[in-house]
Amino acid sequence: MATLTACPKCRTAVPAGQPACLRCGHSVDEVIRVCQACDSRNGRGARFCSRCGHSLDTPVTPPESPATPVDLTKVLVEYRPQRRPLAIGLVVLLVMSVAVVVLKIVERGFFHPENTVTSFFEALGDRDAASARDLLLPIREPYSLALLQSAVLKSRGYTPPADVRVEQTDATRDRASVQVSFVLNGQRRWLSLDLRRDAQATVGLFHQWRISDGGLHPITIEFDEVDSLLVAGTPIPPASDRTIAELAAPPGGYTVSLPDQPLWEASPVVAYAGIDERGWSRTVRLEPTIKADARAEIDPQVRSYLDRCAQSTTLVPEKCPFSAYPYSTVRNVKWKIVKYPEYELSDYAGQVSISTITDGEATVTGDSVGYFGGTDPFSTTDRFAVSGNVELVGDTLTFQPA
């Protein structure tokens, strides 16, 4: 179908291919203004489109696009990932909170100054020397662990503290002081212990507390005459002067006695460690005495010594307690003990000696040679005392004449 064009000037329809308006002669190809609504060409002075009548001075507003429908499936799918990080964060926070609480419980129950002190006294009560040592810092000189060993704690001669109570705890980051009370020797005692926190952590998280002061206490044992002691059944060598022993001991009571031997005996005494919170040394004295049956071993040796002297054929037997000094030469000398001396054993500065109570008597007979060669019977009596020392050689008592 042929397309008609409106004359830009008079708006008369012009057939297709016609260059000018048949009514007014205006050129149809002279395009001045283009309609924005239908793209038709209009003359320069036209105000409205000759085709659609749209005002050539008014711009065409493009129609609004219809709203895109919401995909609810997509919304629901995309909404879930937005909630998941929040849930994960809450779970992580909850787990961390529980972990912190558990760590605090573990630290309070196993890595706290009070726990260290309680474990130390429990180890003493269980007579577990190794566990007790592990809770102490390394021991400084002149202290030693002579009394913190299984042989001592497991002995009947050791009495551990009873009814231990933690009374007060003062702690900073690395140091702590714990006051405890316990029953020992029938009385409740109070004791303060200082602790330090280990620099190295256990399993990378917890720091162990160890006792730096108050775990060991000095005890002093005074004695004479002996060269060995038993402390809670354990041999302890005395100091070099053999009159005193200074030992460091954990809290408790220690029975001090003498080992069984032929010469000395002593009534046991008990030394208590840790009953003086100021740390003063607790001194006890052991009083050794000569055993009553030691005389039974010494008597035969004294008589044998005197009898050997009586076998001498000289008026002055060498290293013997009796002798005779006549004015003339005496031949055929014979000694005879008429009465043996009575003596006692006594000690002085650790040396056991024989002291005569009643003198003995010995007679000597022989032939006295006169000035002119004749002989006369000779007889005299000498009163004498016996003396000497008693020594313990190994397990044997030995009399050594003076």
Side-chain angles (χ1 to χ4, degrees), residues 116 126 134 181 216 246:
T116 296
D126 294 338
D134 289 342
S181 68
L216 296 178
E246 294 181 334

Side-chain angles (χ1 to χ4, degrees), residues 276-293:
D276 192 332
E277 63 177 340
R278 290 169 294 183
W280 291 356
S281 176
R282 307 299 300 183
T283 302
V284 296
R285 181 168 183 80
L286 194 66
E287 299 285 356
T289 58
I290 300 171
K291 295 179 71 171
D293 56 0

Side-chain angles (χ1 to χ4, degrees), residues 9 19 36 65-67 81 89 94 140 142 151 158 200 206 211 231 240 252 308 317 323 341-342 357 385 396-397:
K9 184 176 180 180
Q36 295 184 17
S65 300
L94 178 61
R140 304 187 306 271
Y158 172 69
Q200 295 183 347
F206 307 107
I211 299 172
V231 180
S240 58
R308 286 196 304 271
S323 59
E342 296 181 4
I357 301 174
T396 303
L397 293 178

Side-chain angles (χ1 to χ4, degrees), residues 66 77 80 87 116 122 127-128 135 138 140 152 161 177 183 216 218 248 306 318 328 361:
V77 172
R80 290 177 182 175
T116 296
E122 287 178 350
R127 302 174 185 269
D128 186 350
L135 297 172
R140 304 187 306 271
V152 174
S177 177
V183 175
L216 296 178
L306 296 176
E318 186 178 2
S328 60
E361 294 182 3

Side-chain angles (χ1 to χ4, degrees), residues 200-261:
Q200 295 183 347
T202 304
V203 300
L205 296 174
F206 307 107
H207 295 265
Q208 177 70 54
W209 289 88
R210 300 186 190 277
I211 299 172
S212 59
D213 190 21
L216 296 178
H217 298 263
I219 58 175
T220 302
I221 305 169
E222 296 179 348
F223 58 93
D224 292 317
E225 292 88 32
V226 296
D227 56 7
S228 181
L229 299 173
L230 291 178
V231 180
T234 301
I236 301 295
S240 58
D241 61 2
R242 294 178 59 182
T243 61
I244 191 171
E246 294 181 334
L247 304 168
Y254 300 83
T255 300
V256 182
S257 59
L258 290 181
D260 188 24
Q261 56 171 298

Side-chain angles (χ1 to χ4, degrees), residues 76-100:
L76 293 176
V77 172
E78 291 181 352
Y79 182 70
R80 290 177 182 175
Q82 293 177 358
R83 294 185 60 185
R84 185 174 299 170
L86 178 59
I88 293 175
L90 291 175
V91 171
V92 171
L93 180 60
L94 178 61
V95 171
M96 292 179 62
S97 300
V98 172
V100 170

